[in-house]
Amino acid sequence: MSGMASSVLDLAPVVPVVVIEDAADAVPLARALVAGGLPAIEVTLRTPAALDAIRAIAGEVPDAVVGAGTVIAPEQVGACVAAGARFLVSPGWTDALLTAMGASGVPFLPGVSTTSEVVALLERGLREMKFFPAQAAGGTAYLKSLAGPLPQARFCPTGGIGPATAPEYLSLPNVGCVGGSWMVPADAVAAGDWARIEELARAAAGLRDAGGLRDAGGTCR
């Protein structure tokens, strides 16, 4: 994740994975998440409003670090960066997609779900990646198994993770943060209930400390 003062994996314990149907919701939603302590926001490219949402957050919420998620085609990369995305996340990767993301000038997390994919990315000099779909692909047991032979790989597990399971992921030495959408429930977004989203974000931001996840030196990972 070169190119940022801090790795995306270290910005916050949880990266909200946000699906925005109406670009008008983007700014108040991002402000609520930032106020709750979650500055890194992944806006997925699953809706027609996604690029406008990224553009709005980048332009109007300076404390947010907005990224683009569900990047699956090389031609999407330039459009995301032009809109203001400061990091990119893919559910999986191909050589062409890796090349495009690597040339983008912004940090990126390519998605993996198998040991061979992790080894292939390490071979290319990439050490930080998304583990997706986390729960379906083996969850914390799988990541624990990877830590022995592949300790240099760090992950942002995403997919099926909620507030009950996030602390277990965050306790693993090879997990920098987790991705999830539980703090942005669709009904709250539809209702414009930004106070509820801020409250959920604050609870998510405290998960690392709540789990007692401190190393022997007493500092948070």
Side-chain angles (χ1 to χ4, degrees), residues 129-140:
M129 44 201 91
K130 172 177 177 171
F131 179 56
F132 177 84
Q135 287 288 92
T140 55

Side-chain angles (χ1 to χ4, degrees), residues 71-95:
V71 179
I72 59 172
E75 56 268 24
Q76 293 175 317
V77 171
C80 291
V81 175
R86 293 172 61 185
F87 64 94
L88 306 170
V89 184
S90 68
W93 60 272
T94 65
D95 287 333

Side-chain angles (χ1 to χ4, degrees), residues 11-200:
L11 287 173
V14 179
V15 176
V17 179
V18 180
V19 179
I20 296 180
E21 302 288 348
D22 184 346
D25 293 332
V27 168
L29 174 59
R31 285 177 176 155
L33 292 170
V34 170
L38 300 181
I41 303 168
E42 176 186 335
V43 177
T44 70
L45 301 183
R46 301 180 194 176
T47 69
L51 288 177
D52 285 338
I54 291 170
R55 193 173 292 111
I57 294 169
E60 299 183 47
V61 191
D63 291 333
V65 180
V66 64
T70 322
V71 179
I72 59 172
E75 56 268 24
Q76 293 175 317
V77 171
C80 291
V81 175
R86 293 172 61 185
F87 64 94
L88 306 170
V89 184
S90 68
W93 60 272
T94 65
D95 287 333
L97 185 57
L98 280 183
T99 298
M101 291 194 296
S104 69
V106 301
F108 59 96
L109 290 174
V112 298
S113 61
T114 70
T115 306
S116 292
E117 290 175 307
V118 176
V119 171
L121 290 180
L122 291 173
E123 188 178 82
R124 290 162 169 78
L126 300 173
R127 297 179 57 181
E128 301 188 343
M129 44 201 91
K130 172 177 177 171
F131 179 56
F132 177 84
Q135 287 288 92
T140 55
Y142 195 98
L143 288 170
K144 286 177 184 176
S145 297
L146 291 180
L150 302 170
Q152 64 271 52
R154 293 181 74 217
F155 301 95
C156 173
T158 304
I161 299 174
T165 54
E168 186 179 357
Y169 280 96
L170 291 168
S171 72
L172 300 178
N174 56 351
V175 169
C177 62
V178 300
S181 57
W182 73 86
M183 75 300 296
V184 284
D187 59 339
V189 176
D193 191 349
W194 312 123
R196 180 183 169 202
I197 288 172
E198 181 180 339
E199 181 182 346
L200 290 168

